[in-house]
Amino acid sequence: MSNFSINVEHLERSISKVEVNGYLDAHTFDEFESTLIDLFDEGQYKIIVDMKNVPYISSAGAGVFIWAHGQANNNGGDIVILNPSANVAEVLELLGLDQVFKIVPKLEMGLKVFM
Amino acid sequence: MAENYVREMVVPNDTKYLSNVREMVTSVLLTSTIEGKARNMIVLAVDEAIANIMEHATDNKLDSDIKIELCIKSDNEKFQIIIRDSGKRFDPTGIEEVDVKMHLKSNKKHGLGIFLIRQIMDEINYTYKKDCVNELSMIKYNNN
């Protein structure tokens, strides 16, 4: 079993960075979802999700991204995926999410998405 | 190279044990002739299948009375995973094909697990046994 944690950092121009650490699966997805709900409740819809410390994602985790993408887009924001591991990128690709989400290797590129 | 390798595991009906399932499947895959990306995808398919059972077998309530058993058979020809559970009757193969593009447009959170399993595995078969056991068999043929 792995430790799962999420850190939220408020950046410039109402952009938030959500750093996810650990497996994002059917056991942990609801914590990720709750974090995003809290941000949406605060009116934060420009979100960069840092995935460098996520070695694995299942459909439960991917489903949160799909839901959040709609929520953010409907409110003038977006969800950017930062630095996914090869394993995570493969799953996103299999689901076709690489065609939907902006996936960037560096934070600076993520910030530019919201300019 | 594995020949007729068999490994079994009883999985407690709690999603916190999914990581243990993935570790076990990975360890068996490492003894098989299946390589690289395909290994990761098979681990994902097993995770999705068992997470589905945990979600549907008890209407989302933890129930220690429900048994989930995982059996892996591996040889030079194929990698087979058999999952048996004593939960509510649930045939994942009967679920309609998901149109992922429509799924994305509708912002649905759930329902992609079966899509992934179908994408990854070569054969998926479900049977409901007389003694109230769901049995799901998933096979990946070794194309090397």
Side-chain angles (χ1 to χ4, degrees):
Chain A
M1 272 168 263
S2 71
N3 295 321
F4 183 78
S5 66
I6 297 176
N7 300 314
V8 177
E9 188 180 349
H10 294 292
L11 308 175
E12 59 195 74
R13 294 177 282 122
S14 300
I15 301 169
S16 299
K17 186 177 87 163
V18 177
E19 182 188 272
V20 185
N21 304 287
Y23 301 127
L24 191 46
D25 63 6
H27 186 58
T28 58
F29 78 97
D30 52 354
E31 192 174 332
F32 179 43
E33 183 180 5
S34 295
T35 301
L36 294 177
I37 288 171
D38 289 345
L39 285 170
F40 294 157
D41 286 347
E42 294 168 14
Q44 303 285 320
Y45 292 100
K46 297 173 183 175
I47 296 171
I48 298 171
V49 182
D50 188 344
M51 296 286 282
K52 70 174 180 292
N53 295 323
V54 178
Y56 176 85
I57 188 170
S58 69
S59 69
V64 177
F65 275 101
I66 293 168
W67 162 79
H69 179 260
Q71 296 291 313
N73 279 188
N74 291 340
N75 290 279
D78 206 349
I79 304 289
V80 174
I81 299 176
L82 172 63
N83 203 12
S85 66
N87 193 19
V88 168
E90 282 170 10
V91 178
L92 297 177
E93 189 180 335
L94 195 57
L95 288 168
L97 300 185
D98 58 323
Q99 304 297 313
V100 176
F101 286 89
K102 295 172 183 75
I103 301 175
V104 298
K106 291 185 178 178
L107 179 61
E108 298 75 43
M109 297 167 76
L111 293 170
K112 281 183 183 172
V113 169
F114 297 111
M115 291 184 97
Chain B
M1 195 173 287
E3 287 185 29
N4 302 318
Y5 187 92
V6 179
R7 183 108 169 251
E8 293 177 317
M9 177 184 191
V10 175
V11 186
N13 184 27
D14 189 324
T15 53
K16 72 180 179 183
Y17 294 103
L18 286 171
S19 59
N20 299 70
V21 169
R22 296 194 295 266
E23 282 174 16
M24 185 273 218
V25 178
T26 300
S27 70
V28 180
L29 280 162
L30 288 171
T31 70
S32 78
T33 52
I34 292 173
E35 296 180 341
K37 182 179 171 182
R39 276 187 196 150
N40 296 335
M41 293 294 108
I42 291 171
V43 170
L44 175 63
V46 178
D47 178 303
E48 296 291 352
I50 293 184
N52 256 327
I53 291 167
M54 290 173 174
E55 181 183 352
H56 294 284
T58 56
D59 291 330
N60 227 9
K61 293 171 189 164
L62 296 182
D63 185 344
S64 57
D65 290 337
I66 291 179
K67 276 188 182 173
I68 304 172
E69 296 172 345
L70 174 64
C71 177
I72 298 177
K73 298 178 181 178
S74 174
D75 59 31
N76 292 333
E77 182 199 356
K78 64 182 185 294
F79 194 89
Q80 181 178 20
I81 303 109
I82 300 166
I83 303 167
R84 298 186 188 93
D85 74 86
S86 60
K88 193 173 71 179
R89 186 171 184 164
F90 173 65
D91 177 5
T93 64
I95 292 175
E96 281 184 29
E97 292 280 349
V98 170
D99 182 329
V100 173
K101 286 183 180 172
M102 290 300 292
H103 203 89
L104 295 175
K105 281 181 185 171
S106 63
N107 297 324
K108 284 183 185 171
K109 274 184 276 190
H110 301 289
L112 291 171
I114 299 298
F115 169 83
L116 285 171
I117 292 170
R118 285 177 171 142
Q119 292 287 307
I120 295 165
M121 304 306 291
D122 295 321
E123 278 184 27
I124 309 162
N125 290 296
Y126 169 84
T127 47
Y128 189 68
K129 304 282 186 181
K130 281 181 183 173
D131 46 352
C132 300
V133 172
N134 296 287
E135 182 176 291
L136 184 70
S137 166
M138 306 190 292
I139 294 176
K140 184 74 176 176
Y141 289 102
N142 188 353
N143 297 319
N144 292 333

